[in-house]
Amino acid sequence: MAAKDSPKLGLYSYWQSSCSWRVRFALNLKGISYEYKAVNLLKGEQFTPEFEKLNPLHFVPVLADGDVFISDSYAILMYLEEKYPRRPLLPSLLPSNPQHKALNLQVASIVSSSIQPLHMLSTSKYLGEKVGPQEQLLFAQTNVEKGFHALEKLLKNIVGKYATGDEVYMADVFMAHQIAMATERFKIDMSKFPSLSRIYESLKAIPEFLESSPEEQPDAVK
Amino acid sequence: MAQQQNKLKLYSYWRSSCSCRIRMALNLKSLEYQYIPVNLLKGEQFSPEFQKLNPIGYVPVLVDGDVVISDSFAIFMYLEEKYPQIPLFPSDIAKKALNIQAANIVCSSIQPLQNATVLKYIEAKVGPDERIPWAKFHIEKGFEALEKLLKDRAGRYATGDEVSMADVFLAPQLHYGTKRFNVDMAKFPLLTRLNGAYSELSEFRKAMPENQPDAPLA
């Protein structure tokens, strides 16, 4: 594991937030220390005026780097890639594999745009109220499975030990927590997704991923 | 500087806001491209030929010689790197992050919650009267966030005086997803001003759905 600097970054995070999980995993992979700043979403701490200044969408995570504050996990990850280029999470644009980088970004988009928004807390709550808890779960499961079918098709001929080969890249950072949640929270039958299952088996063994998981966070509720 | 050796090809649907983003980016970067329509209503995205290009069946897809790239975000980043002339990112890293954040508010917090598939679902499960309020709720929530986010950072355009990624992602959303969902634009003075600025740019106008080869004749 890479040596860590003394913390100068802060990460506003909630232990169960999947978007926060992505950034925690990436920070660990890059060997970057950070101060964990818990935001209790259940208690509504994301709606305080102080937090609204950091992110008007009231979402975690938010990265604090000196006097720069960055919200949105995708924006944070691209910022980290540029500012802290060690242990890159995106492969270079190479003539030998010109699509490798784009593929990683595409996987990230599928998770962050086509899957996660459709099962996140605010969407779920609304459906639960309007339709009922059973439908709320079904909607989440349907969209997770739809996204997973897409990822399975996309990665089928490219997958190695990890999503796009034998190194952990951005696609893995976005997929790891998504697969974890799919199995634990949404009870998705992963036997339908052999490539994704294989990737997840590899990712589960990585210490940086395990350390980033919700149960390991300072604000985890046991 | 990468020369445009092969003509780029863009698989697009006239009404797809994700395709519109890339049409704008290509116009802004003065990159010529061949427009290849994919009729989503007729299911052309499921043809064997298109499935080879993008097994997920989404537009847009960019073809650059042997390179095939899907997903508007991934295509945008590829174009920025391969054709860096007329950059669509500011050089300041924090401002660049702001652009990605604004673009993602559209891509992740607005568009996926008001696209055709989700609206059909809401109509079926909750009721036809819920369709527009659902879309309006999510669009306005995203627009409120964008107003707050960009309020002190906008210039002539979203994040300064040059057109950048945030504008490319915002413009189609402002063009499409407002009137039809009864969005009250009076609540969003900055976005209203930006929409006005976009309508004056020929690169944006040329990318609009009604100006595409596959748009139905009026």
Side-chain angles (χ1 to χ4, degrees), chain A residues 52 56-57 70-72 74-75 78 82 98-99 101-102 105-106 109-110 112-113 117-118 126 131 135 139 153, chain B residues 55-56 66-71 73-74 77 81 96-97 101 104 107-108 112-113 121 125-126 130 134 145 148:
Chain A
E52 181 162 309
L57 258 181
I70 307 201
S71 322
D72 183 86
Y74 213 147
M78 299 302 281
E82 194 164 345
Q99 286 168 201
K101 185 172 187 172
L105 294 175
Q106 189 182 353
S109 282
I110 289 169
S112 66
S113 295
L118 296 168
Y126 184 96
V131 193
E135 192 58 47
F139 184 72
K153 267 191 185 159
Chain B
I56 305 173
D66 294 329
V67 177
V68 179
I69 310 212
S70 312
D71 181 79
F73 193 98
M77 300 302 280
E81 191 163 2
K96 187 172 176 177
Q101 192 186 341
N104 253 350
C107 294
S108 300
L113 295 167
Y121 170 87
K125 293 287 178 175
V126 189
E130 192 59 31
W134 163 279
K148 285 180 190 155

Side-chain angles (χ1 to χ4, degrees), chain A residues 81-128:
Chain A
E81 264 304 273
E82 194 164 345
K83 182 111 190 260
Y84 305 96
R86 83 193 96 166
R87 186 29 187 108
L89 295 174
L90 283 172
S92 314
L93 183 64
L94 294 171
S96 56
N97 195 349
Q99 286 168 201
H100 196 186
K101 185 172 187 172
L103 194 62
N104 271 275
L105 294 175
Q106 189 182 353
V107 171
S109 282
I110 289 169
V111 175
S112 66
S113 295
S114 303
I115 305 180
Q116 198 271 341
L118 296 168
H119 70 64
M120 68 182 176
L121 204 63
S122 41
T123 317
S124 278
K125 250 172 82 171
Y126 184 96
L127 278 173

Side-chain angles (χ1 to χ4, degrees), chain B:
Chain B
M1 176 164 51
Q3 297 295 324
Q4 194 180 354
Q5 284 154 343
N6 314 293
K7 191 168 193 182
L8 294 171
K9 292 186 196 162
L10 183 72
Y11 289 77
S12 155
Y13 179 58
W14 68 290
R15 264 191 117 166
S16 146
S17 65
C18 305
S19 303
C20 188
R21 293 169 194 161
I22 299 306
R23 299 191 300 247
M24 282 185 186
L26 289 164
N27 292 349
L28 287 164
K29 288 171 101 53
S30 293
L31 292 168
E32 280 185 19
Y33 65 96
Q34 183 190 351
Y35 188 101
I36 304 178
V38 181
N39 192 326
L40 303 183
L41 290 186
K42 285 189 179 167
E44 287 177 3
Q45 68 275 38
F46 302 116
S47 70
E49 301 77 31
F50 191 76
Q51 288 279 302
K52 269 203 211 91
L53 289 176
N54 185 4
I56 305 173
Y58 293 164
V59 285
V61 178
L62 183 85
V63 177
D64 184 3
D66 294 329
V67 177
V68 179
I69 310 212
S70 312
D71 181 79
S72 58
F73 193 98
I75 295 171
F76 185 93
M77 300 302 280
Y78 172 83
L79 289 174
E80 267 303 280
E81 191 163 2
K82 181 99 192 276
Y83 303 99
Q85 63 274 32
I86 314 178
L88 295 176
F89 270 132
S91 47
D92 173 66
I93 188 179
K95 221 168 169 186
K96 187 172 176 177
L98 179 66
N99 270 272
I100 296 177
Q101 192 186 341
N104 253 350
I105 288 175
V106 176
C107 294
S108 300
S109 299
I110 304 179
Q111 199 273 340
L113 295 167
Q114 44 99 143
N115 66 28
T117 316
V118 173
L119 291 183
K120 253 205 272 197
Y121 170 87
I122 294 293
E123 196 165 353
K125 293 287 178 175
V126 189
D129 293 337
E130 192 59 31
R131 204 171 157 269
I132 293 193
W134 163 279
K136 179 179 154 84
F137 172 79
H138 289 290
I139 295 169
E140 292 196 356
K141 188 176 172 196
F143 281 9
E144 271 160 29
L146 285 161
E147 280 283 319
K148 285 180 190 155
L149 186 71
L150 301 173
K151 183 169 65 113
D152 300 326
R153 330 282 271 272
R156 180 135 197 258
Y157 299 106
T159 64
D161 292 332
E162 303 290 329
V163 175
S164 60
M165 187 195 200
D167 303 290
V168 171
F169 279 68
L170 250 181
Q173 183 65 52
L174 289 173
H175 185 82
Y176 283 95
T178 49
K179 286 198 200 89
R180 56 205 273 246
F181 299 121
N182 300 335
V183 172
D184 181 7
M185 289 306 292
K187 296 197 274 192
F188 312 111
L190 172 59
L191 297 184
T192 304
R193 174 169 79 70
L194 291 174
N195 201 22
Y198 300 149
S199 62
E200 288 172 17
L201 286 169
S202 64
E203 294 93 341
F204 277 33
R205 278 202 309 269
K206 277 195 296 199
M208 283 305 152
E210 56 276 10
N211 294 328
Q212 302 318 302
D214 56 337
L217 296 168

Side-chain angles (χ1 to χ4, degrees), chain A residues 180-221:
Chain A
M181 289 183 68
T183 44
E184 286 154 27
R185 199 190 292 185
F186 303 120
K187 314 292 179 213
I188 301 291
D189 175 11
M190 289 302 294
S191 67
K192 295 192 261 193
F193 312 107
S195 305
L196 301 191
S197 299
R198 199 169 119 200
I199 294 165
Y200 188 56
E201 285 308 302
S202 304
L203 289 170
K204 264 190 333 194
I206 303 175
E208 290 89 339
F209 176 62
L210 295 169
E211 283 163 18
S212 68
S213 62
E215 313 72 57
E216 300 300 317
Q217 304 317 306
D219 57 337
V221 173

